[in-house]
Structure formats: structure tokens, C-alpha cells
Amino acid sequence: MRYAETGYNLEVDLSRGSIERVETDPRETELHLGGLGANAKILWDRVPPETDPFAPENLLIFSAGILVGTPAPSANRTIVSTFSPQTKLMAYSMMGGFFAPELKYAGYDKIIIRGQSPKLVYLWVSNDKVEIRDASHLQGKGAGDAAELIKKELNEPKAQIASIGLAGENRVFYASIEQGRSSASRGGVGAVMGDKGLKAIAVRGTKDVNIARPAPFIGLCNDVLNYIKFRSTHPIPGVPAILSGLGSPQEMAIHDESWHTENFAWGNARHRRKGFWTKEVEEDWRDTQENARERLISCYNCPMKCGATIAVPDTPTYMMKCYSKLTYAMGAMSDLKFGFKIAQQATEYGVDAFSAPQTMAFAIELYEAGILTDADMPGFPTGNEDRFYWLLDKIVRREGIGDILADGTYWAAQRIGKGADAFAHNNIKKHEQLPLKLGMLNPLYFLMYSTGEKIGITQIEGQFPQAPFNTMEEREEFVKDWFQVPDEKFKKYFLDWEPRGENSNPYYPTVEMSCEIVDWMEKMHYIDDAAGICAGLSSFPLKPPYHMHNYPLLLSAATGFDIDEARLSQIARRNRTLIRAINVRRGLRRADEKPPEDHWKKRFPELEEKLLDAYYKFKGWNSEGIPTKESLHELAMDYVSEDLERRGILKNEG
Amino acid sequence: MKVKKKIKTIKVVADKCNGCRACEMICSAFHASPKYSSNNPERSRIRVIRDPLSDIYLPVYAGEYTPAECMGRDKYVLDGKEYGECAFCRASCPSRSLFKEPDSGLPLKCDMCEDDPSQETPLCVQWCVNEALVYEEREEEIDDGSEALGDMETGVASLVDKYGLEKILDTVARMSASRKD
Ligand code: SF4
Ligand code: SF4
Ligand code: SF4
């Protein structure tokens, strides 16, 4: 018997209309666990680097992490992997909600989609019964509407559905895959789904998920649950409210947005608005939120409530998760009422809530600068809010200027020319970033922004505080019960970190310390993504219930493998290195690894080079960021170095 | 004759439910054998009727097995929200798939986690961190009556209802014969 995982993948070829249930090799599980790591192995093996993201040969994988469907709290992540039309690299998007556990209960670890259907279809998976069904009647329907219609026609209210909206159907480069209260938004995974002619996947499962060593496993799960309860009554003092608790940022619960609205940049990631959060604004936003929010809601088997059902006048009820609350409001220089209203449409169309508002704000800037004109945008309204609605509509339909903007700011700037690229200023590896513009370079964030392969900062940061604490007392208080550190030295790094003076940014944490801290933070994300645990209870917040000390025990008890800390670190490193190799094979090099030019006012080119050199070395990569033959050998991935040598990417020195 | 009986109540504060389904998961894990060796919400003795867009969150406990469905169905509208047919009913009933083992179709019934080892607080309550499920106990004096049917008897009774006593006896005879070979 297989434990924690089901041991089966579903292989669907939409060109041929074939469906196969395929047993997987347990040795792969031992090497990569599941989720992201397993996806990476499949993409490495089966998608040659020349493959266009919109080619039938590209795969679209929906994968449940290895702990998904077990009693481990928040083990509910669906890891969607493919190649991104926007970055051309491996796309990397995850969603919470209820889809992945249902897939496990249906008896599958993954659904692997290849080919292209000649007409729009959806996939219906009900335990062993799997069908490709006509979806022509769902064409143009909103992602949520389509899901509701599918549930009705299948007469399966308990089915879990992942679907795309108009943006995905029209291959908007930042189209999302929506699933009730969650979505896989980054990297344009929805565009690939649309390109494959797949409107939705509906899943219903009624089988068991098995645990190898039940007694220790449930004990560990109870510990996790108890620690969550403890943390809910013990928020971390000395950090902004939004960083003090567990879960994704508690945007739906908390109405105090002073931190985001005053520290993050508005418009096209341009304007900091110090003093924005006045008493009147606070009252207005609080009332708006309280009136709109019907209920706080959670994902499968998780006690946190990071999402909410939102109902605003004249707008259908919808579900929202954390940050989309602010991105449209701030992109349009508007307010929360507008944010809630337009987010409903955007969710139905299915677009990423970072890239979409940023691209629209970018278009408004170009228009104001005279680079885009009335000839390009006939009928462009005057107010910002109307402009956002107008642009959103054009983009998801790829109509007129919308066809260009649908490719995101980087590609749109290339096509528009006339200096437009100066306005596409907030990208890393061609992908729009959080709108954040700061003063002094932070060495940890420099490394994370530069080298992160998930191309979103929230998918690599966590664990280590974002800024030093002012007084030694506060720091000592913080490290007292900081048992999550994998090594005591991290406490010392933090204690010695000062807001000013010698031990402050950018030269402290030192280059060596920065490498270690960033590696730790990143490692925890890679473990979560293989396990299918939500980052909100693990790699993202400070002092989480999942950490380097209980993870090996949980994974061992669930799977029956013997995984200690060293072996788990090795697996995380293997998965991380494999993704690097996949992207290197598609052309990623050191020159691509840089934060937006204007992310910090104060930059230190020499130090930055040093940081990158040291970090690459620490990771076992050469000065171009390519994994070395030796490090690949240590990770039992000689097949990767052989391939890279054959392609002349690694020099054969043997 | 009067006897003392412990009345166990789970207060369902539906307003606090966030739809996480931890209760379903842990109930099925607790009742797996060996304990916690597997889980499958479909085997749970509590199910959450969940329709987020209508703001419907209704945890329902599995009650008695019934051989025949009611003469008619009921449908509630509360606070403007329309609940599905028979939503509030706890029965394992032939009219629906709710509260039945997925493989055998045998009825499921909440046993308040009195299974061995008996739990002080039911598992679903322990795992509902949001306190949508609250456990309460009190004593009451009642008339001494006969014992309720045990788990196995309920199961067999439902099979009898479905297939008829004769068929069941035949099957049992055949099975015991083949076991002997
Ligand atoms: S912490 Fe929040 S986002 Fe994560 S699983 Fe729980 S409810 Fe979902
Ligand atoms: S555990 Fe509690 S909050 Fe979660 S679904 Fe069950 S009753 Fe609702
Ligand atoms: S009380 Fe026990 S048996 Fe009843 S639903 Fe809750 S967990 Fe299941």
C-alpha cells in the first residue's frame, strides 16, 4: 500500500481525447516527495526546453502535495505547474481551497494535461470515472459562474472545481485558475489552461487517504493544532499587526490598513502616500469592509480564516482572499469600495490581482505621458475608476489596446515602444511584482528578489523578521521562544541586527549570514510546496507551527519513509536545484537575476555582486547561477548535468 | 422505574462555522481501524452542508438509520437563505447518499466518540478550533427502556431492509461455507 500519496496520476491527452490512470514510481517520491518537486521532475523529463508554453507538448500539471488529504492542518495545496507564456520559464502557482484534497480522495496525486482540445471542454473526475465533456455552453462564462453551472449539470454539489474565465480562454498572459475562495494566479497558468481548450476540472472523491504510522502522526498533528491555538492568543509584539499572527496576511479580518496603504506604492507602483491613513479614511474603510464581508472562510482542514465572502450592492456575491482587496484600489488611486467592486469582475474574468491592476495603472501612465493616445484607445474614459473597468474589459477580450496589454507590462512595453519600457519598471524576470519601493537596500531581500524562482516575494520570504527590532529587550523577548530556528546561530544574527550603525543594512547581516538566512527561508517554502502545506501556517509567517524540527517527523510518520532533518534538507535542495536547472535550460542566467532598478533608493552594486557570488556558491551553482556538476552529483541528479553538458550549458571538465 | 441518563449535546453554532471540514476529516480518521490509519470525509458522521455563495454553513450529525424515506420532503428558508431538501434531517435515508459508507452503503451514525477508547470530548469538537461545535453534558432522569440497537445490528437491519431477510441469510450461509474450504 502507498501511504500519504495515492500512487496514481491521471494522464489526460486533450488532442486525442485519451485518459489514463498511471501508477507512479515510489522511488521518485523518496527523491522529490510530491507537489512541486514531483511536478518539476515530470517537466524536466517530458517537456523539452524549446517547447513554447502554448504548444500542445507543454504540460499543465495539477498536483496535490504529499500531505494533502491527511489530517495535517492546512495540507490543502494544489500546485499548478507548467511553462509561463509571460516569463517563458517554469510557472509556479499554488492554490488553497478544497481541490487538492478532493483529488486525493478521488484516488490521484496529480492530473497531467497535455495536448489541445479542438473545442472547449471540461474534465469530470469522479473516483475511477473520468470524462472529457463538452463545455461549449460555458464559453465566455465567468470562472465562478461556470463552476456553479457544472455542479448543477452534474448534480454534484460536493464537487470541487477549478476553472478559468474569459481571460484564460483568451490566453491573457496573467490569467488565473479560480477555485472558489482560492486561485492559482501567478505566471499565467490560466492562459495555458485556456490554450489547451480546458474550461474547468471538476473533482469528486470518496476514497481513503492512508497513513503509515497513525499514532505518532496524529500526535504531531495535534501539536500543530495546539500551537496554532497558542499563537492565536499570543501575537508577536513589535511588528505590524498584519505580521503578528499566522495565516496568509489577515486582510479580510483586519481593517487597519495603515501599513499597506502608507508603505506600499500606489498607481503604477509609484507613489508612497505617507499620512494617507487618516481617521476619516479609517472609518470609511472599516465601514465598507464590515458591510461587504459576509463571513470569514477557510480552506480545507484549516482553522485560520484568510478568505471572505464579499457582497457589495449591485454586485454578485464572491469570495476574496487576502491581497486583492488592495491591489485594484491602490492601482487606481481609489478606495476600498471600488476595490471590492472591481475585484468581483476581475475574479470572474480570472486574472492575477497583482499583474492586472499593475498593467492597467501602467496603461494610464502611458496615456498621460502621451505614449498611448486616443487613437490607440478610442473612447478611453476620464476618471481612474472608469478607466480601470474599461481596460479590464478590453484586456480580457484582447480587444484593441487590450490585446497588447494582455501580455503584461514587459511585453506590452516592447510592442508599444516609444520609451514605454521605462514605465514597465516593476518587473523581475518579466513578471509584475508587489508594488513596494523602499529606501535602504536589505541584503536578505536583495538575494530573495534576485534569485527567487517563484518570482513573487511572498513565496520565498518568511521565518526571519523583515527588519531589526529597535531595542535589545525586544529582541531578547523575540528569540526566547523562537524554537523554529534550525540552528541557534540565527538567534544571534537577529540579536545583533541593529536599525542603525555598523550592524545595520546593507552590510549586516553579513554576506555569509545573508546566504544562510535566505537559504533557510527558501528551504521552508520548498518543503511546504512538496508537502502541500499552506505557507500561511509554515514558511511565510514568523514562528509558525510547521518548522524544520517537526516536519521530518510528520513526513516520516505519514509516508513510512525515514526522513530526518538532513535528508529533508537534501530533498528540498534537490527540488530547488532541479527547478533552477529547468530554467537554466530555458535560458535563465545571472543577468536576469535582479530586483527592479528602483526597488531601493540606495543601491550598492559592489556589495550586490558579492552577495550574488556568495549565494550562488552556497547553493552549489557556478558564477552564472548554473548548478555545478559536483552539486548535481551530490543530489543524485547526474542526469541533469549530463543533459546540461550535452547542450553545452555546463562545460564538461571530466 | 427511573434511571439517570447522561445527555450529551453538541451545540452547533453555525454562525461560527467557516466551512473548513476539519470535523469531517477527524471523525473519519478516528473511526478508521486502526485508529487514524486513514481518513475519508465521506465516511464521517458529521457533514457540513456548505454553499459559500449563499452563506450556508450547516454542520449536520448522522442520526438514526431509516429504512424508508418520509412521505414528503421539507425545505427551509431562514434569514432569506434557502436550504436544500431535508438539509436539517440527520437520518441515513434511502433518499440520499448522506451518512452511508461509500463502499458498502451501510448507514453511519454519530456515536459521540464513545468508541474505544472513549473520548472525553468528541473529536469533531476538539478539532473545531472556531468553536462552532461546543460540547455539553448533563444528567436527566428517564424511564428505563430497552437498549438501543448496537452498531452491527443497525447495519444488519439496514441490509435486511434493502435485500430481504432471506437473501441475507443465504449470503451469510454461502460466505461461511466458502470460508471453511
Ligand atoms: S492559513 Fe489561510 S490560506 Fe492557509 S490554508 Fe489556512 S485558511 Fe487557507
Ligand atoms: S470544524 Fe467547525 S468550523 Fe470547520 S467545518 Fe466543522 S463545524 Fe465548521
Ligand atoms: S461526535 Fe465523534 S462520532 Fe460524532 S460526528 Fe463528532 S467525531 Fe464523529
Side-chain angles (χ1 to χ4, degrees):
Chain A
M1 195 190 314
R2 302 281 279 268
Y3 295 102
E5 60 177 345
T6 67
Y8 287 94
N9 290 341
L10 197 57
E11 297 266 359
V12 179
D13 187 325
L14 291 172
S15 300
R16 304 200 336 238
S18 68
I19 296 163
E20 251 179 305
R21 178 169 175 267
V22 180
E23 189 166 359
T24 57
D25 184 347
R27 279 173 306 184
E28 294 282 354
T29 313
E30 291 204 52
L31 288 170
H32 300 281
L33 290 176
L36 178 69
N39 290 4
K41 182 63 173 31
I42 294 168
L43 291 177
W44 170 272
D45 286 345
R46 289 171 48 184
V47 185
E50 315 73 45
T51 310
D52 187 274
F54 289 149
E57 293 76 29
N58 186 15
L59 300 180
L60 176 66
I61 309 175
F62 292 77
S63 177
I66 189 138
L67 291 181
V68 167
T70 73
S74 87
N76 55 41
R77 255 43 195 174
T78 310
I79 294 96
V80 183
S81 305
T82 184
F83 287 99
S84 162
Q86 190 176 32
T87 66
K88 314 290 180 205
L89 303 173
M90 182 171 160
Y92 192 127
S93 203
M94 287 167 298
M95 54 188 173
F98 295 79
F99 186 86
E102 202 69 32
L103 185 63
K104 277 281 193 66
Y105 295 128
Y108 310 97
D109 300 314
K110 296 176 209 75
I111 301 178
I112 303 169
I113 311 276
R114 62 177 183 271
Q116 268 161 349
S117 168
K119 58 180 181 49
L120 198 64
V121 292
Y122 75 91
L123 188 70
W124 167 223
V125 180
S126 173
N127 292 328
D128 297 340
K129 195 188 84 195
V130 184
E131 291 170 10
I132 298 169
R133 297 174 63 114
D134 177 49
S136 45
H137 57 303
L138 301 173
Q139 191 146 18
K141 289 269 186 281
D145 286 347
E148 292 304 311
L149 288 166
I150 289 172
K151 275 193 241 175
K152 277 217 183 75
E153 73 182 46
L154 295 172
N155 194 21
E156 280 284 354
K158 291 200 185 102
Q160 300 298 339
I161 292 166
S163 55
I164 54 171
L166 204 49
E169 285 181 38
N170 288 331
R171 309 198 307 182
V172 172
F173 281 11
Y174 39 91
S176 60
I177 299 172
E178 299 286 329
Q179 181 234 142
R181 67 163 301 297
S182 305
S183 63
S185 301
R186 303 292 275 162
V189 289
V192 175
M193 188 152 161
D195 181 64
K196 299 209 167 299
L198 185 62
K199 179 72 180 174
I201 303 180
V203 187
R204 173 86 174 102
T206 61
K207 299 190 191 185
D208 300 348
V209 169
N210 299 304
I211 296 296
R213 301 170 199 149
F217 186 71
I218 202 71
L220 290 157
C221 291
N222 273 308
D223 293 345
V224 166
L225 210 56
N226 287 331
Y227 190 70
I228 294 171
K229 289 184 203 166
F230 168 82
R231 282 285 274 103
S232 75
T233 50
H234 294 78
I236 292 170
V239 297
I242 211 101
L243 300 176
S244 66
L246 294 174
S248 300
Q250 294 297 297
E251 292 295 311
M252 296 296 110
I254 292 175
H255 79 268
D256 180 354
E257 288 294 359
S258 51
W259 190 67
H260 277 131
T261 56
E262 297 200 354
N263 286 297
F264 285 58
W266 293 64
N268 180 24
R270 294 284 190 197
H271 322 287
R272 282 277 290 276
R273 292 168 86 176
K274 286 275 172 216
F276 170 80
W277 194 253
T278 59
K279 199 115 209 96
E280 296 85 75
V281 171
E282 171 158 12
E283 273 165 25
D284 177 43
W285 286 41
R286 188 195 52 221
D287 291 348
T288 302
Q289 178 148 333
E290 255 144 46
N291 288 332
R293 192 182 61 206
E294 256 182 358
R295 187 185 295 250
L296 293 172
I297 54 178
S298 82
C299 304
Y300 182 76
N301 190 21
C302 179
M304 306 304 295
K305 295 166 286 224
C306 306
T309 12
I310 300 289
V312 287
D314 312 317
T315 306
T317 302
Y318 69 107
M319 289 175 262
M320 175 180 261
K321 56 262 154 199
C322 58
Y323 203 57
S324 51
K325 168 184 164 189
L326 293 183
T327 48
Y328 293 97
M330 289 175 69
M333 308 288 293
S334 179
D335 61 14
L336 191 55
K337 272 193 201 83
F338 167 75
F340 278 145
K341 225 172 150 64
I342 194 169
Q344 188 275 333
Q345 263 189 31
T347 306
E348 280 297 297
Y349 285 145
V351 285
D352 175 38
F354 284 111
S355 291
Q358 175 121 33
T359 306
M360 296 192 279
F362 156 86
I364 291 175
E365 268 194 358
L366 290 181
Y367 180 81
E368 277 162 1
I371 295 176
L372 288 176
T373 63
D374 286 322
D376 303 304
M377 302 156 94
F380 195 45
T382 45
N384 261 7
E385 299 183 356
D386 290 339
R387 286 173 166 180
F388 258 52
Y389 282 115
W390 189 92
L391 285 165
L392 181 60
D393 239 49
K394 299 275 177 233
I395 289 170
V396 299
R397 296 192 162 75
R398 278 193 177 272
E399 256 169 35
I401 190 71
D403 186 39
I404 292 171
L405 296 172
D407 292 352
T409 57
Y410 174 85
W411 296 108
Q414 304 291 305
R415 279 171 73 182
I416 294 166
K418 304 182 208 158
D421 53 350
F423 295 78
H425 67 108
N426 199 37
N427 296 331
I428 300 176
K429 296 163 187 156
K430 310 185 177 68
H431 203 49
E432 292 79 13
Q433 300 296 314
L434 261 173
L436 199 55
K437 300 294 157 198
L438 301 166
M440 172 60 80
L441 179 98
N442 173 329
L444 305 178
Y445 275 79
F446 170 77
L447 282 180
M448 291 192 283
Y449 275 118
S450 301
T451 66
E453 221 112 344
K454 301 209 264 175
I455 320 189
I457 194 67
T458 55
Q459 294 304 320
I460 177 166
E461 66 184 343
Q463 307 296 327
F464 204 80
Q466 298 190 358
F469 288 9
N470 277 322
T471 67
M472 190 47 96
E473 288 82 67
E474 286 174 299
R475 285 174 229 159
E476 276 168 353
E477 191 57 35
F478 181 83
V479 301
K480 236 190 236 156
D481 60 355
W482 199 16
F483 60 84
Q484 287 87 350
V485 289
D487 191 300
E488 289 297 305
K489 68 186 172 198
F490 291 105
K491 292 186 183 170
K492 180 149 183 10
Y493 298 169
F494 177 68
L495 286 171
D496 294 344
W497 194 15
E498 303 275 353
R500 273 164 297 276
E502 215 175 298
N503 274 3
S504 72
N505 289 347
Y507 293 106
Y508 192 96
T510 66
V511 171
E512 290 70 35
M513 292 173 193
S514 297
C515 293
E516 291 171 344
I517 297 169
V518 169
D519 185 66
W520 167 35
M521 291 199 256
E522 187 179 61
K523 178 161 78 182
M524 298 319 295
H525 280 277
Y526 274 82
I527 297 172
D528 286 345
D529 302 343
I533 295 285
C534 173
L537 286 183
S538 185
S539 46
F540 183 70
L542 297 166
K543 299 188 180 171
Y546 291 99
H547 43 80
M548 209 47 207
H549 308 302
N550 65 355
Y551 243 134
L553 306 173
L554 275 153
L555 287 164
S556 302
T559 60
F561 303 142
D562 290 308
I563 301 171
D564 57 13
E565 286 193 28
R567 197 169 146 204
L568 183 55
S569 287
Q570 182 87 339
I571 293 172
R573 198 180 181 90
R574 180 177 299 120
N575 290 346
R576 203 274 166 262
T577 306
L578 184 55
I579 288 170
R580 168 59 49 142
I582 289 172
N583 284 335
V584 158
R585 207 163 67 157
R586 290 182 76 94
L588 177 76
R589 293 294 181 275
R590 183 182 183 122
D592 302 303
E593 304 229 284
K594 42 178 195 247
E597 204 80 49
D598 57 359
H599 187 81
W600 294 281
K601 264 202 205 82
K602 294 193 191 134
R603 296 290 292 263
F604 299 80
E606 224 172 283
L607 172 65
E608 292 174 16
E609 292 304 311
K610 253 195 220 144
L611 279 163
L612 214 48
D613 280 334
Y615 189 65
Y616 279 172
K617 210 163 173 186
F618 189 93
K619 290 290 218 190
W621 306 342
N622 69 19
S623 61
E624 271 301 311
I626 302 167
T628 63
K629 188 172 175 158
E630 297 71 42
S631 69
L632 288 164
H633 178 72
E634 271 171 39
L635 295 167
M637 293 199 294
D638 292 314
Y639 62 91
V640 172
S641 50
E642 281 156 26
D643 183 280
L644 295 181
E645 278 173 1
R646 238 187 343 267
R647 292 171 194 276
I649 295 169
L650 269 182
K651 303 275 167 297
N652 188 346
E653 280 135 18
Chain B
M1 201 183 86
K2 294 268 184 195
V3 291
K4 282 219 156 102
K5 188 180 175 203
K6 203 195 263 178
I7 307 282
K8 299 180 165 187
T9 305
I10 294 172
K11 185 165 77 182
V12 180
V13 191
D15 288 343
K16 285 194 182 173
C17 175
N18 64 11
C20 70
R21 302 174 60 198
C23 48
E24 298 181 359
M25 185 285 301
I26 199 65
C27 175
S28 69
F30 178 70
H31 289 89
S33 107
K35 286 220 169 323
Y36 304 111
S37 60
S38 69
N39 87 86
N40 176 357
E42 197 67 9
R43 295 187 200 282
S44 170
R45 294 125 198 252
I46 177 170
R47 294 310 298 268
V48 184
I49 295 173
R50 183 179 166 277
D51 182 2
L53 294 178
S54 315
D55 197 43
I56 285 178
Y57 292 84
L58 183 66
V60 181
Y61 283 89
E64 288 301 327
Y65 158 76
T66 174
E69 63 177 284
C70 300
M71 292 302 288
R73 313 248 168 119
D74 58 26
K75 203 170 193 180
Y76 281 75
V77 180
L78 288 177
D79 288 337
K81 302 178 210 166
E82 183 169 324
Y83 290 77
E85 273 176 9
C86 309
F88 290 83
C89 177
R90 300 176 54 181
S92 174
C93 167
S95 74
R96 58 184 185 180
S97 63
L98 199 69
F99 300 138
K100 286 175 190 153
E101 284 283 359
D103 325 313
S104 61
L106 288 174
L108 291 162
K109 181 181 149 187
C110 166
D111 62 4
M112 282 292 187
C113 296
E114 280 177 3
D115 217 359
D116 179 40
S118 179
Q119 300 287 305
E120 210 152 286
T121 324
L123 264 293
C124 54
V125 173
Q126 287 181 35
W127 275 64
C128 182
V129 175
N130 290 298
E131 293 172 339
L133 309 175
V134 184
Y135 182 64
E136 289 164 357
E137 252 180 34
R138 65 173 198 282
E139 286 205 332
E140 240 175 43
E141 295 224 315
I142 54 153
D143 289 328
D144 189 14
S146 57
E147 279 293 301
L149 291 183
D151 249 9
M152 189 174 76
E153 262 179 79
T154 320
V156 176
S158 81
L159 288 174
V160 170
D161 287 324
K162 198 164 171 186
Y163 301 106
L165 186 58
E166 216 158 298
K167 247 207 178 122
I168 302 295
L169 287 175
D170 277 359
T171 314
V172 173
R174 201 162 5 92
M175 278 168 71
S176 59
S178 72
R179 290 269 162 95
K180 271 180 207 134
D181 297 339

